[in-house]
Amino acid sequence: DMLMKTLKFGCQHSTSPICETCIELISDLFRSFKTDMPAEQFTEFFNLYCIDVVQLYFSILTDLTYKFAFQSIITLFILFQLKISSQ
C-alpha cells in the first residue's frame, strides 16, 4: 500500500521525469503482476487499486500541467481495458 501511495504521489509531481517515471512504474507493476501472479491474486490487486489509479490519471489528463504524460497514461488505460475485457 505504501508503494502505491508513493507512486501515486510521484505521478502528481510537476517535474516531468519524476511524473512519467511513476506513471510507467505503475503500468509496469500492473503488467508484471498480470503475468507473474495467479489470476485470482491479480484480480484482487486490480480491484483494490484500479479505481484510485484511474481517478488519479483522469485528474492528470485534465490538467494541462501534465500534458507531457499523455502517452504514458493512455498506455495504462489500454492495459486496464485489456484486463476488463478479459473478465
Side-chain angles (χ1 to χ4, degrees), residues 9 18 20-21 29-31 34 36 42 47 58 63 65 72 76-79 83:
F9 179 76
I18 294 171
E20 287 182 321
T21 299
L29 186 67
F30 274 89
R31 210 175 283 117
K34 183 176 183 174
D36 297 337
F42 175 71
N47 291 338
F58 271 118
D63 187 341
T65 307
S72 299
L76 184 69
F77 282 145
I78 291 169
L79 175 70
K83 168 61 181 151

Side-chain angles (χ1 to χ4, degrees), residues 25-69:
L25 284 172
I26 290 175
S27 296
D28 291 346
L29 186 67
F30 274 89
R31 210 175 283 117
S32 174
F33 283 0
K34 183 176 183 174
T35 58
D36 297 337
M37 274 185 171
E40 53 279 344
Q41 284 182 330
F42 175 71
T43 300
E44 287 179 31
F45 173 80
F46 184 84
N47 291 338
L48 181 63
Y49 291 108
C50 177
I51 300 296
D52 287 341
V53 170
V54 168
Q55 286 176 336
L56 170 67
Y57 285 179
F58 271 118
S59 72
I60 292 171
L61 278 175
T62 57
D63 187 341
L64 290 177
T65 307
Y66 301 103
K67 66 183 176 185
F68 56 82

